[in-house]
Amino acid sequence: MTTTVPIIYSFPEFLGVAEAVADLIISSQNQTLYNTTDLKQIALIKAGQVKRPSVNKTNSSLSIINQSGNGNGNNGLNGNGNGSTGSSGATLSVSASNTQSTSNLNPDTLSASSTNLAANNKIKKEKKILKKQEIRFKIAISGGSLIKILNQGLLTRQEFIEWDKWDIYFADERLVPFDSPDSNYGQAKLEIFDHIKGDKQPRIFHIDESLIDDPQEAADDYEKQLIQQFAKKDSVKLPMFDLLLLGCAPDGHIASLFPNHGESLREKLAWCIPVSNAPSGPSNRITLSIPVICHAARVAFVVEGLTKAPIIKTIMERPEKGLPSSIVNEGAAGRVSWFVDDAALNDLYDITKKKYKYLSIPEPNH
């Protein structure tokens, strides 16, 4: 494995991590929904005074891909700033010769003209359907301390969040009842979802609680949910989340992908896989696979606490060990960032840390 150094944002304390992650999430939301992070332009779009910038769309995903994270709002546009909205990527033109009287056309020419007109009509219909398809912000989260970080960062900034345009998924889940403190969905509900203000609520995609005794069936069922939302009638190799948020445990596992669980780490085809005999916490789980995680438009690791310092040192200095997060650093190179407090970086001395630049919420004064 080659050495890929991700962007690392460091903060003196837990609260700084929570605030920056909140800005990252809201900026990703805005980039997805409006193809810009410029707040003035977003206000004009909402007021109907300007149109949302066009983007190139593909059949594989309706998500807007913003890999550079530079916030200029031009990602995904073609050279003239007018991204194609047709699923074919091109339009057909009818030449002047096709406007002549049909009485002068032989049967072959008439047939060709009809074919061109039919193709034009089909493209127009596809464009119309595409315009009607609602753009939604698709985010996947894991559990653990990340839930508390989201509680601290997001709930006090709900005026910047368009919850009703969110689709929330889980990067992994422990196969326990929802009322268990080990349930990612259960804890997210208590810490986040139950505190969302107003009637406009996100769509939340969680496991079927009735399947917690069968990891394979639970994984298959959750994968079917993903296929229904991301693939619909199209052929899609992998889903693309607009943002995927992960923690990192002291033992190096991310989502429910554990070090030394080679079969899970080598999975190439499945979107969601079962996990049995997990070395820590609840034994049975499901998790998104490495290819799905690496396919996200943005991946952010959120890590805090002195207990994480040894594993962070290994991840950043010994990528050849093949820890799950090192695999993601490599597989999603250029789209990965780490939000880490100083305590978790305690064992690292020779590493470049960046100051986070706020794009969508006021920068805290502390």
Side-chain angles (χ1 to χ4, degrees), residues 126-294:
E126 288 175 346
K127 285 184 175 182
K128 192 172 183 180
I129 292 173
L130 195 57
K131 285 182 179 180
K132 288 183 178 180
Q133 289 175 326
E134 182 186 13
I135 296 173
R136 299 188 62 80
F137 176 50
K138 297 180 182 294
I139 180 173
I141 63 174
S142 57
S145 61
L146 176 64
I147 299 296
K148 295 188 180 297
I149 288 173
L150 297 180
N151 170 287
Q152 290 286 316
L154 288 179
L155 294 183
T156 58
R157 297 172 173 86
Q158 295 194 53
E159 69 271 24
F160 300 103
I161 301 174
E162 300 185 48
W163 289 115
D164 59 322
K165 297 179 181 178
W166 283 37
D167 287 349
I168 302 176
Y169 300 83
F170 288 87
D172 71 311
E173 183 57 278
R174 293 87 172 260
L175 298 185
V176 295
F178 289 160
D179 60 2
S180 166
D182 287 320
S183 168
N184 288 344
Y185 167 71
Q187 289 305 298
K189 183 177 184 299
L190 288 174
E191 296 281 351
I192 304 170
F193 306 150
D194 286 349
H195 303 283
I196 293 176
K197 298 176 181 178
D199 296 329
K200 295 184 177 181
Q201 299 289 312
R203 298 194 307 196
I204 301 168
F205 298 88
H206 55 69
I207 63 166
D208 183 340
E209 191 179 16
S210 70
L211 302 178
I212 60 175
D213 293 328
D214 190 330
Q216 184 65 63
E217 191 172 356
D220 290 345
D221 181 77
Y222 201 65
E223 182 169 299
K224 288 177 183 177
Q225 290 192 55
L226 295 176
I227 291 172
Q228 184 178 11
Q229 296 303 316
F230 284 90
K232 298 186 184 297
K233 295 181 180 180
D234 300 322
S235 176
V236 175
K237 184 177 180 181
L238 292 168
M240 177 175 280
F241 293 99
D242 299 303
L243 178 63
L244 205 153
L245 297 175
L246 298 169
C248 183
D251 66 359
H253 83 262
I254 61 172
S256 283
L257 294 162
F258 290 86
N260 303 318
H261 278 214
E263 186 175 350
S264 295
L265 298 179
R266 288 191 297 268
E267 175 61 50
K268 300 297 183 185
L269 299 177
W271 292 8
C272 187
I273 57 178
V275 176
S276 300
N277 301 316
S280 61
S283 176
N284 293 334
R285 307 161 177 242
I286 66 166
T287 184
L288 297 181
S289 64
I290 287 285
V292 170
I293 292 173
C294 290

Side-chain angles (χ1 to χ4, degrees), residues 67-78:
Q67 297 185 358
S68 65
N70 58 14
N72 62 13
N74 292 325
N75 297 295
L77 297 179
N78 61 22

Side-chain angles (χ1 to χ4, degrees), residues 289-358:
S289 64
I290 287 285
V292 170
I293 292 173
C294 290
H295 195 61
R298 286 180 176 177
V299 180
F301 288 96
V302 184
V303 185
E304 51 83 27
L306 191 60
T307 59
K308 310 290 181 65
I311 197 66
I312 293 297
K313 179 179 175 66
T314 301
I315 292 166
M316 299 303 171
E317 295 184 351
R318 301 290 303 278
E320 72 277 4
K321 284 187 169 291
L323 292 173
S325 50
S326 297
I327 297 173
V328 175
N329 281 344
E330 182 73 18
R335 291 173 282 120
V336 181
S337 53
W338 287 72
F339 292 73
V340 190
D341 69 357
D342 287 345
L345 294 174
N346 187 67
D347 293 351
L348 283 174
Y349 303 102
D350 185 20
I351 193 165
T352 301
K353 298 180 287 186
K354 294 190 66 174
K355 177 178 172 58
Y356 183 77
K357 180 181 178 181
Y358 285 78

